[in-house]
Amino acid sequence: MKYEGWPEPGELVVGKVDEIEDFGVFVDLEEYKDKRGLVHISEVASGWIKNVRDHVREGQTVVAKVLDVDRDAQQIDLSIKDVNDHQRSDAIQEWKNEQKADKWMSIAFGEDMADDQFRAVANELIAEFGSLYEGFEQAAIHGPDALEPTDLDEDDIETIVSTARDNVSVPYVTVTGYVHLESPDGDGVDDIKEALRAAEGDGEIPDEIDLDVTYVGSPEYRITVQAPNYKTAEDELEASAARATDAIEAAGGSGEFHRERQLDEDQ
């Protein structure tokens, strides 16, 4: 999808070199509909430039900074030299992500989706998440709940979530912690089993979370959490350990959470 309207001064834009002249370079903006910018020779690269073609070629994808926009003159002034390597890499990645999201929209709603319908759905996702890609990613991670704040109808939400979960590769992080669980009662084994079931969430763990509790060596148990980000993973890890310690203490035992393993590896 290409944006209507104009870019703003200071914005980084992705474009394709369309025409090279002695005085500069014309760039078709990939993200804006029917928009073309000019990179003056002095803004192509730092230092003296003998031949513009030594620095850019026709058809090349470039990242440029918007210097000025004159809507009356239909002119956008750009700079390539003002973009550093880090900015260039990030802008290209975001552009590629949006291209992926465009394809997901076509998969979800069909190649023949009307332009006005496409833009209505896309604008809802962009307004809520900042980009189409982020909208699909959040839908893949959190499901319909992620799209509840939008004005999309239930059918559109279901379609987006289904497509996202089939196509989006969600980044995950893994964190690990340990709990000591001890019970002095004769039924201590059953008490610990109940505490472990509590640690595992009794089936109440969100879909986007993978939580696993494993035996390390009495009285130590490992809790491993895989989640979309570190904050969520840490929160779920601490909540799991708290459920386990609360359960064992309620049964008259003792529980303690710690981040590092305390038993020797050969136990």
Side-chain angles (χ1 to χ4, degrees):
M1 184 185 79
K2 291 195 174 188
Y3 299 121
E4 302 283 355
W6 297 78
E8 296 291 331
E11 182 179 339
L12 297 182
V13 293
V14 177
K16 187 167 290 186
V17 175
D18 176 59
E19 185 180 348
I20 300 175
E21 302 289 351
D22 291 339
F23 58 84
V25 179
F26 288 99
V27 176
D28 282 336
L29 303 189
E30 295 287 343
E31 301 157 295
Y32 285 87
K33 186 177 180 180
D34 300 326
K35 295 298 183 292
R36 192 186 197 208
L38 171 65
V39 184
H40 187 269
I41 187 172
S42 63
E43 295 294 337
V44 171
S46 299
W48 182 69
I49 298 176
K50 181 179 180 180
N51 188 339
V52 180
R53 293 181 181 276
D54 291 337
H55 300 273
V56 292
R57 66 183 185 279
E58 291 180 357
Q60 178 182 350
T61 298
V62 297
V63 177
K65 181 178 180 180
V66 178
L67 298 179
D68 189 47
V69 176
D70 187 335
R71 301 189 184 191
D72 292 334
Q74 299 283 296
Q75 183 172 320
I76 303 171
D77 294 329
L78 305 171
S79 174
I80 293 175
K81 74 175 185 181
D82 283 353
V83 181
N84 62 41
D85 289 342
H86 179 72
Q87 292 172 320
R88 184 178 300 107
S89 177
D90 284 352
I92 289 293
Q93 187 58 56
E94 289 176 8
W95 173 61
K96 288 181 177 179
N97 286 346
E98 288 306 283
Q99 288 184 309
K100 289 180 182 178
D102 278 351
K103 291 181 180 178
W104 297 334
M105 285 285 287
S106 295
I107 292 171
F109 298 100
E111 296 284 351
D112 298 330
M113 182 184 191
D115 287 347
D116 58 348
Q117 183 189 4
F118 183 103
R119 293 191 180 280
V121 173
N123 287 339
E124 283 294 321
L125 294 177
I126 292 170
E128 179 64 28
F129 302 103
S131 71
L132 268 182
Y133 183 87
E134 183 67 17
F136 272 91
E137 186 171 80
Q138 290 303 309
I141 294 170
H142 300 292
D145 289 347
L147 304 181
E148 263 191 23
T150 70
D151 287 333
L152 296 171
D153 62 38
E154 290 185 6
D155 289 341
D156 287 345
I157 289 176
E158 183 179 344
T159 299
I160 291 169
V161 170
S162 176
T163 302
R165 287 183 165 167
D166 286 344
N167 293 277
V168 180
S169 297
V170 178
Y172 277 86
V173 297
T174 302
V175 296
T176 301
Y178 299 84
V179 285
H180 277 194
L181 302 173
E182 296 184 86
S183 176
D185 294 341
D187 295 331
V189 173
D190 290 335
D191 292 340
I192 289 174
K193 286 182 178 178
E194 188 64 31
L196 294 176
R197 279 194 290 270
E200 292 171 344
D202 291 324
E204 299 298 324
I205 301 300
D207 290 343
E208 69 268 21
I209 305 299
D210 185 11
L211 189 152
D212 188 41
V213 182
T214 55
Y215 174 74
V216 176
S218 183
E220 191 171 54
Y221 300 84
R222 180 190 294 113
I223 304 173
T224 303
V225 179
Q226 189 178 66
N229 56 68
Y230 277 109
K231 184 182 185 308
T232 300
E234 292 287 350
D235 289 347
E236 290 293 336
L237 174 61
E238 292 176 7
S240 173
R243 289 193 299 269
T245 55
D246 288 348
I248 198 68
E249 289 171 1
S254 62
E256 182 183 0
F257 172 59
H258 48 92
R259 295 306 305 265
E260 302 296 331
R261 185 174 183 181
Q262 295 186 349
L263 290 183
D264 293 333
E265 290 292 331
D266 57 356
Q267 283 190 267

